[in-house]
Amino acid sequence: MREKTQAPRNVQGVVSDLLEIGSRVQPFSKESRDKAPRIRDAKVVHSVCPYCAVGCSQNVYVKDGKVIDIEGDPTSFINRGTLCPKGSATYQYTVNSSRLTKVLYRAPYSDHWEEKSQDWAMKQIAQRVKQTRDETFVERLEDGREVNHTLGIATLGGATLDIEENYVIKKLLNGGLGIVSIENQARI
Ligand code: SF4
């Protein structure tokens, strides 16, 4: 008769393992048993995957002010803790040393990029939108119909814009500026 061995305690201190499956995969060295998940004690910030319109929920783990991991949120009814390969790679998006964190500007006909402040960039965008809108704004068509629009500007929004953000964008761009070409890929 085969002698029944007692399953060793695993890191969580669980001893019930009637099929002894766990005993074959538990860490036996003290060094392994003493290890803890790196996300233990991390602060969890709920977020949304930045990539596509599915809008999978993510848990962003933050420790000492730094993002240390990003995983699928198991409480989400959209993705139930899963992420596709692209979403699973979100962590590298935040820590990648190639990521641009400053505004770069290349002037027309220039062969190099210049570093600029965010204030400078925002003013440039505002001035160019205003100038283009003023130059292309049409109050009435040739047949007299009132349209109050511009076909000189189009906008394309991101995947993670939600209903409320899209409402504000529509109010500003369409109601405020007369832009009619407004599109984004968000469907959440
Ligand atoms: S995890 Fe994948 S499917 Fe989900 S939102 Fe991100 S890119 Fe889309």
Side-chain angles (χ1 to χ4, degrees), residues 176-188:
L177 296 173
I179 298 170
V180 290
S181 301
I182 300 171
E183 183 56 279
N184 75 49
Q185 67 168 128
R187 297 291 180 268
I188 56 177

Side-chain angles (χ1 to χ4, degrees), residues 49 51-56 82-84 86-88:
C49 175
Y51 287 119
C52 90
V54 175
C56 294
T82 63
L83 292 173
C84 79
K86 205 159 71 164
S88 300

